[in-house]
Amino acid sequence: MASFSIDQQPIEFEPGQTILQAAMAAGVYIPHLCFHPQFSAHGSCRVCMVRIDGRTASACTAPAAAGLEVENLSDDLQALRRDILQMLFVEGNHLCPSCEQSGACHLQSVAEFCELLMADLPFQYPRRMVDASHPDWVLDFTRCIHCELCVKASREVDGKSVFSLTGRGFDTRLVINAPDGLLVNSEFASTDRAASVCPVGVFLPKHQGFKTPIGQRKYDRHSIEQITEE
Amino acid sequence: MSPEQAQTIFEDTRQRFAGAADDTRLLQYLVDIQHRYHFIPPPAIEALQQILHLTRAQIESVIDFYSFLHSDQAIRYRILFSNNITDRWAGSAAMMQRLTVALHGCEDAGIALTACSGLCDQGPSMLINGRAIGRLTPSRIDDIAALILSGVELEDWPESLFMIDNVIQRSDRQLALSCQPAAALRRAIELGPDLILQTLNESGLRGRGGAGFATATKWSLCRQASADQRFIVCNADEGEPGTFKDRLLLAQYADSVIEGMTIAALTVSARRGFIYLRGEYRFLLEPLQADLQRRREQGLLGSAILGQAGFDFDIEIHLGAGAYICGEESALIESLEGKRGIPRIRPPFPVTHGYLGQPTIVNNVETLFSVERILQKGAKWFSEIGTEQSRSSRLISISGDCEEPGVYEYPFGVSLRQIVQDCGGSDAQAVQMAGAAGTTVLARDFDRCLSFEDLATGGSFMVIGKQRSLLDMLQNFAWFFRHESCGFCTPCRIGNHLLPELLQRFAEAQATGHDLRQLKDIAETMHRSSFCGLGSSAPTALSDALEQSPEIFTAGMASSSDNPAFDLSAATREYRTITETESW
Ligand SMILES: Cc1cc2nc3c(=O)[nH]c(=O)nc-3n(C[C@H](O)[C@H](O)[C@H](O)COP(=O)(O)O)c2cc1C
Ligand code: SF4
Ligand code: SF4
C-alpha cells in the first residue's frame, strides 16, 4: 500500500482517499468541523488546514498521494485554526455555558483541542427567529456554521429536501422547505438523520433539558480526537 | 396581488417555460421573470417548482444569492449606483444624493449601490433595471428623475442616455488587426487539432483572466479527458473592479471572440458553448445574439461548419445576475447549471469535470480573442513581442485619476511609468493593479513592469491621484468584498464582514494597537485559508498598505495600546438621548 506522512508518521491510503479520510482510517486526528465520514467533503469550515509539502490546503479536499509530507499539529497550524475557530464563535451566538449542546458540540470540543480559550474578535450577535413550531424540536439558527451536513443528510439519507442554505456572504443562512418556512409544516420527522448530524447546537430536542448533566457528556469524558464520529 | 393576477402570472410562467423545461436554465428563467414583473412574484416561483420539480427553498435560495433578483416586491425602477472607487472619485455619491432627493417619496423607485458596473472609463455610472447609464452629471440625473416621476417606461427613454463609448486609446498588433470572419477558422481546419495545439503552444499564449494558465495546456488536458461531451465557456463575467476591456472586445471584436470559441470546439470536439455574460452587460445581449445568428447563417456555427462533416458547434448566451464570484470558473459553472454561484472543490478541475461534470474549457474573452489573432497571423507574429514568460501584448482598462481613460494595448514588459505617462496620470501617487483584489504599486515602484513575472492583472489598472486617501480606497474595497463574498467558507464570509468596521475605526481616528493587530490577523487568516481566490486575494491591498504605507493606520489610532478602544461617550449616546441625560 502506498503511503504519505503526517507529522512524520507514515499513513497508508487507498487511491481516491483524501488526506483527511486516510488520516481518520489510520486513527490520526486532524481537527475538522464540516466533514463527516458518511457524507461527501464540503470544504467550508477550513479547520482542517494542513501544510502539504509547504503549501497550505484543507485536508478534506486534498487527495492523498504517495510521498506527501503533511504537517498537521504544528504550532503555526494550530494558531491558524484558532483564528478560524474564533471567527465562527463571533459569527453566531455561542453562549456555551447555557447551551443544551455543551459538552456534545464539535465546535466547542475542537476549540478546546486547539486551545482556543476566548474569542478576541468583535461578537456579531446575529438576530434570527428561533423555530419552535415543531412539537419535539427547537431550531436556533444563530449557531449554524453552514456546514450543510443537515442539508445532505435530509437529501441523501432521509430522502427529503427539508433544508437549504440561502442568501450570500454573511447573510448566508439555513432555511426550511415548507410553504411558510416552518419546521412543523415541512416533511421533517423527529427521527431524521438531519437532526442528529449537526455538529453544533442548532437542533435542540424539546422536553429533555440537560438530560445528561454537563460534565458527563461525550466530550467531557473524552477529548474529540479520541472519538470516532457517529 | 389579487387571486386573478396570481393565476395569470402562474399560467404565463408555465406557458413560457414548460415547453423545454430544463433546471439548468433556472437562473435564466429567473432573470427573465425579474425583467418582466420587476420582481419574482410568488406564483411564478410556484410555477417553476411545478415545471422543474424543485423545492420552493431551492428556488428561493437561488434568488437570494444573486443581487439583481428580488422576491420582496415589484419596484418599477430599480436603480443601482456603481460603487467602484473610480465612480466614487468621479463623484457618484453626489449623484446618488441628488437622485435620492429628487425622488423622495416616490414609491416606484428604489436606489442602492452595486459593485463595479464596468463603465469606469465613463463614470459615475448606474444601472436601472439592469440597463447601464454612464457619464452621470447633475443635468442627466435631473432628466432621469423627471422621466421616473412622470412614469415613462424605460423602453421609451431617450437612447442618448444609454450610449456607451468604447474608447481604444492605444492599439498594438492585436487590436490593429481587423476581424476577417472565418480566416482563422479556415486555417484551424487546415491545421487540425494537433497542429492548433502546437501553434498555441509556440505562441506562448497564457490566459488573460488572471491566473495566466497556458492556454495550449488547458486545451490539451480537456482534449485528453475521457468524456461523453465537452464544453467551451467564454468567461465574460468581467467582474474585477476597474476592468472593461472585455466589454470593448464583445462590442467591437465579437466575431474574433466567437471564432476563438469555435476553434476551441474544433480542437477538443465540443458541440456546445456558452458565453457567460455578466448581468451588468445586458446591453450587449441583443448585439451578441445577432452576431451569433449571422454566423449561423454564414455557416460558421451550427452543423457542418464551413462544410466540414461532423464539425457541429453552437453557442448560447447565459446572463449573470450580479455576483462577482461567478467569474471564478467553478462558481461560473455552478451558475451556468442554474445554481447559486458557490465555487466547487478542486481537484477535479473544470477541464476534466466542468459543466454537467464533463470536461470544460473556461477561457477569458481576451484569451479567445487572442486565439483567433494567433490562428490568423501565426505563432511567430504573436510571440515576437513581450517578455520571456509573457509573450505578446495584452489589453488593460485604465481608469481613475488620468486624463485619457480607456482601453490600451501594451506589449508585456512595459513599465508602469510609461503607462501612467501615456494615460496622463502625472499626479499619480500609486496604481491599483488587478482590481480590488490586486496589489497597490506606489509611485516609487513605477519601474516595475506589466507581466506575469512581475505585475499581473486581469485587465484593471486604476490610477490613484495624490489627492486620494488610500484608507478610503481600502474601505471601498472592504465594502466590495463584504458585498461579494459568496459566504461558503469561514475566513472569507466572516473576515470580510469584520474588516469594514475595523477600518472605520481608523477612519474615525478611534483605533488602537489591538485593532491594528486584528487587521493583520484577519488578513493573514483569509489569505492563508480561504476556499477560493476571492477570499485569499481580498486582503491583498490591505496587506500592501500595512507594509508599504503604515502611516495611514498610525494616523487613525487614538492609542497604540493593545486594549480595545472604548469610547464611553459614543457607546452611551443612544442611552443618553433616550434618557435625556446630558453627560455622566
Ligand atoms: C473571484 C474570482 C473572480 C474571477 N473573475 C473572472 C472574470 O470576471 N473573468 C475572467 O475571465 N476570469 C475571472 N477569474 C478567473 C477564472 O477563474 C479563470 O481562471 C479564467 O476565466 C480562466 O481563463 P483564462 O485561462 O483564459 O485566463 C476569476 C477568478 C476569481 C478567483
Ligand atoms: S444546522 Fe447544523 S448541520 Fe445544518 S448547516 Fe447548520 S451547522 Fe450544519
Ligand atoms: S473564499 Fe470562500 S466565501 Fe469567499 S468567495 Fe471563495 S468560497 Fe466563497
Side-chain angles (χ1 to χ4, degrees):
Chain A
M1 226 182 188
S3 73
F4 62 96
S5 73
I6 297 183
D7 293 338
Q8 277 95 48
Q9 179 184 338
I11 308 282
E12 295 193 333
F13 70 96
E14 281 163 26
Q17 277 185 323
T18 60
I19 288 182
L20 183 59
Q21 283 170 328
M24 287 170 92
V28 169
Y29 180 66
I30 301 177
H32 60 271
L33 280 173
C34 69
F35 181 76
H36 189 289
Q38 198 182 353
F39 301 99
S40 58
H42 197 239
S44 69
C45 76
R46 316 309 289 158
V47 171
C48 70
M49 296 307 286
V50 290
R51 196 153 25 226
I52 307 167
D53 289 345
R55 192 174 47 88
T56 317
S58 50
C60 68
T61 60
L68 295 180
E69 286 182 20
V70 178
E71 178 186 316
N72 173 30
L73 295 181
S74 63
D75 290 348
D76 172 58
L77 288 170
Q78 288 290 74
L80 179 63
R81 291 185 186 124
R82 282 195 291 278
D83 281 338
I84 295 168
L85 288 163
Q86 272 198 69
M87 287 183 170
L88 289 172
F89 275 98
V90 303
E91 179 185 36
N93 297 337
H94 298 282
L95 307 166
C96 301
S98 67
C99 178
E100 170 67 37
Q101 196 69 6
S102 186
C105 169
H106 288 216
L107 178 61
Q108 185 190 41
S109 51
V110 171
E112 201 176 326
F113 179 83
C114 295
E115 296 173 5
L116 175 69
L117 301 179
M118 60 172 267
D120 189 28
L121 296 166
F123 279 85
Q124 299 301 302
Y125 302 117
R127 287 183 203 197
R128 291 212 166 118
M129 201 78 100
V130 163
D131 184 336
S133 63
H134 196 276
D136 300 324
W137 294 87
V138 185
L139 303 189
D140 182 343
F141 299 105
T142 68
R143 298 182 188 139
C144 177
I145 59 163
H146 314 112
C147 68
E148 285 195 77
L149 282 172
C150 62
V151 176
K152 289 179 189 167
S154 179
R155 196 172 52 218
E156 295 164 22
V157 181
D158 307 328
K160 310 169 185 179
S161 273
V162 176
F163 304 98
S164 294
L165 283 188
T166 193
R168 180 167 100 191
F170 197 74
D171 187 38
T172 302
R173 60 204 185 276
L174 190 71
V175 285
I176 292 162
N177 181 45
D180 53 3
L182 292 177
L183 190 65
V184 69
N185 294 322
S186 73
E187 290 177 46
F188 178 79
S190 292
T191 50
D192 279 359
R193 178 71 175 116
S196 62
V197 79
C198 181
V200 289
V202 175
F203 290 78
L204 303 170
K206 286 187 177 174
H207 323 297
Q208 49 162 290
F210 297 85
K211 203 163 148 190
T212 314
I214 287 183
Q216 293 172 31
R217 296 180 175 192
K218 195 165 154 196
Y219 302 117
D220 295 333
R221 289 180 278 121
H222 301 280
S223 157
I224 190 163
E225 95 257 41
Q226 300 163 328
I227 296 180
T228 30
E229 262 126 301
E230 297 128 26
Chain B
M1 190 181 299
S2 71
E4 293 75 36
Q5 279 171 320
Q7 188 60 28
T8 315
I9 294 176
F10 181 87
E11 285 304 330
D12 174 71
T13 310
R14 263 178 52 99
Q15 266 169 22
R16 268 174 328 119
F17 304 127
D22 171 359
D23 58 9
T24 64
R25 296 200 61 85
L26 173 62
L27 177 58
Q28 303 310 303
Y29 299 156
L30 292 170
V31 167
D32 188 278
I33 294 168
Q34 169 75 42
H35 193 64
R36 204 177 175 86
Y37 302 109
H38 304 301
F39 85 127
I40 318 266
I45 297 177
E46 280 158 34
L48 289 177
Q49 271 178 263
Q50 214 180 71
I51 338 176
L52 300 174
H53 309 289
L54 294 172
T55 67
R56 166 195 293 263
Q58 279 167 331
I59 296 173
E60 285 176 345
S61 70
V62 173
I63 299 172
D64 269 0
F65 186 85
Y66 293 94
S67 43
F68 296 169
L69 302 178
H70 307 269
S71 56
D72 48 353
Q73 53 167 327
I75 294 182
R76 202 162 150 212
Y77 305 97
R78 276 189 206 265
I79 297 154
L80 294 171
F81 278 85
S82 176
N83 194 35
N84 190 34
I85 188 67
T86 56
D87 290 282
R88 292 195 73 83
W89 289 339
S92 63
M95 297 303 133
M96 180 159 160
Q97 167 87 15
R98 192 177 181 96
L99 191 62
T100 311
V101 170
L103 296 180
H104 182 73
C106 168
E107 288 187 356
D108 278 344
I111 301 179
L113 292 172
T114 189
C116 177
S117 69
L119 297 180
C120 325
D121 55 340
Q122 43 209 292
S125 65
M126 62 144 90
L127 296 170
I128 174 154
N129 295 352
R131 291 190 70 183
I133 304 183
R135 300 196 191 286
L136 294 175
T137 57
S139 86
R140 276 159 75 86
I141 290 284
D142 295 345
D143 293 346
I144 292 166
L147 287 162
I148 291 173
L149 289 171
S150 44
V152 181
E153 284 296 332
L154 204 57
E155 284 67 40
D156 301 326
W157 287 23
E159 270 309 308
S160 59
L161 274 175
F162 303 106
M163 292 284 284
I164 306 287
D165 297 323
N166 292 302
V167 183
I168 299 179
Q169 297 283 10
R170 183 185 196 281
S171 29
D172 213 292
R173 57 184 61 197
Q174 293 198 69
L175 284 176
L177 192 65
S178 64
C179 290
Q180 293 182 15
L185 190 54
R186 278 183 216 284
R187 179 77 188 129
I189 292 171
E190 267 167 45
L191 291 174
D194 288 325
L195 291 177
I196 296 174
L197 288 171
Q198 193 184 322
T199 307
L200 287 181
N201 196 20
E202 284 165 12
S203 77
L205 177 63
R206 294 173 65 173
R208 303 305 196 223
F213 197 79
T215 307
T217 312
K218 186 182 274 189
W219 290 19
S220 305
L221 289 171
C222 178
R223 185 164 174 238
Q224 283 156 19
S226 59
D228 308 330
Q229 36 179 343
R230 296 184 177 78
F231 298 95
I232 311 298
V233 177
C234 169
N235 186 344
D237 198 49
E238 189 155 67
E240 183 178 280
T243 317
F244 47 85
K245 45 101 189 168
D246 292 344
R247 185 194 83 215
L248 180 131
L249 289 176
L250 293 169
Q252 297 190 348
Y253 294 80
D255 263 293
S256 299
V257 178
I258 298 168
E259 197 146 318
M261 292 179 73
T262 316
I263 293 166
L266 175 70
T267 312
V268 303
S269 314
R271 298 163 62 94
R272 281 177 74 193
F274 298 95
I275 298 175
Y276 187 91
L277 184 67
R278 70 187 307 221
E280 290 84 345
Y281 291 172
R282 201 194 167 103
F283 56 88
L284 291 170
L285 180 64
E286 276 86 34
L288 282 172
Q289 261 159 353
D291 290 326
L292 292 175
Q293 188 52 33
R294 174 174 44 75
R295 289 182 70 91
R296 282 182 200 114
E297 284 156 15
Q298 292 169 336
L300 303 175
L301 278 179
S303 48
I305 292 172
L306 285 174
Q308 300 290 305
F311 182 12
D312 306 337
F313 178 65
D314 213 327
I315 297 173
E316 287 166 52
I317 303 175
H318 270 230
L319 276 172
Y324 167 62
I325 187 58
C326 290
E328 192 285 329
E329 56 185 8
S330 66
L332 184 152
I333 289 170
E334 287 284 296
S335 182
L336 269 183
E337 292 181 0
K339 299 183 247 174
R340 301 164 80 224
I342 305 283
R344 290 181 178 171
I345 290 177
R346 286 142 298 144
F349 292 93
V351 273
T352 57
H353 295 75
Y355 183 67
L356 306 179
Q358 301 296 318
T360 303
I361 291 177
V362 182
N363 272 136
N364 174 254
V365 173
E366 186 186 341
T367 312
L368 293 161
F369 160 79
S370 289
V371 165
E372 185 269 350
R373 310 274 95 170
I374 293 166
L375 269 291
Q376 217 191 106
K377 299 291 276 187
K380 186 166 171 297
W381 170 87
F382 183 79
S383 65
E384 268 164 7
I385 52 172
T387 67
E388 188 59 36
Q389 302 294 318
S390 322
R391 309 307 306 161
S392 204
S393 59
R394 76 154 306 159
L395 307 189
I396 53 176
S397 324
I398 303 191
S399 64
D401 297 311
C402 62
E403 278 153 34
E404 315 276 357
V407 172
Y408 289 68
E409 180 185 357
Y410 275 107
F412 280 110
V414 62
S415 72
L416 264 54
R417 187 175 312 287
Q418 183 70 51
I419 302 177
V420 169
Q421 192 180 340
D422 292 352
C423 70
S426 51
D427 242 5
Q429 61 167 312
V431 163
Q432 182 63 24
M433 297 287 288
T439 188
T440 314
V441 185
L442 300 184
R444 63 170 194 234
D445 295 325
F446 279 179
D447 284 330
R448 294 182 66 185
C449 71
L450 179 76
S451 63
F452 292 111
E453 298 94 309
D454 189 1
L455 288 168
T457 169
S460 173
F461 191 99
M462 299 190 282
V463 182
I464 310 168
K466 289 214 171 68
Q467 73 276 31
R468 308 298 178 193
S469 146
L470 288 181
L471 183 62
D472 183 52
M473 182 181 84
L474 294 178
Q475 288 188 279
N476 177 267
F477 293 170
W479 175 89
F480 171 76
F481 287 114
R482 180 195 263 194
H483 195 261
E484 297 302 333
S485 164
C486 86
F488 175 76
C489 73
T490 309
C492 174
R493 179 180 71 241
I494 305 168
N496 277 318
H497 184 76
L498 297 175
L499 286 176
E501 253 87 302
L502 272 171
L503 287 169
Q504 183 61 28
R505 301 170 73 81
F506 289 88
E508 290 170 0
Q510 286 292 333
T512 65
H514 183 261
D515 298 310
L516 190 63
R517 191 168 48 75
Q518 288 197 341
L519 272 187
K520 290 180 183 165
D521 283 354
I522 293 173
E524 194 190 314
T525 306
M526 288 170 63
H527 178 68
R528 288 184 69 190
S529 63
S530 289
F531 183 71
C532 86
L534 190 150
S536 60
S537 65
T540 308
L542 171 61
S543 303
D544 283 349
L546 286 164
E547 203 179 304
Q548 322 180 103
S549 318
E551 68 283 357
I552 68 171
F553 299 98
T554 34
M557 283 165 68
S559 109
S560 58
S561 101
D562 201 37
N563 292 326
F566 183 67
D567 179 349
L568 182 64
S569 160
T572 56
R573 191 169 297 136
E574 195 180 352
Y575 171 82
R576 284 182 290 116
T577 317
I578 297 168
T579 58
E580 296 178 9
T581 325
E582 280 300 303
S583 63
W584 291 88

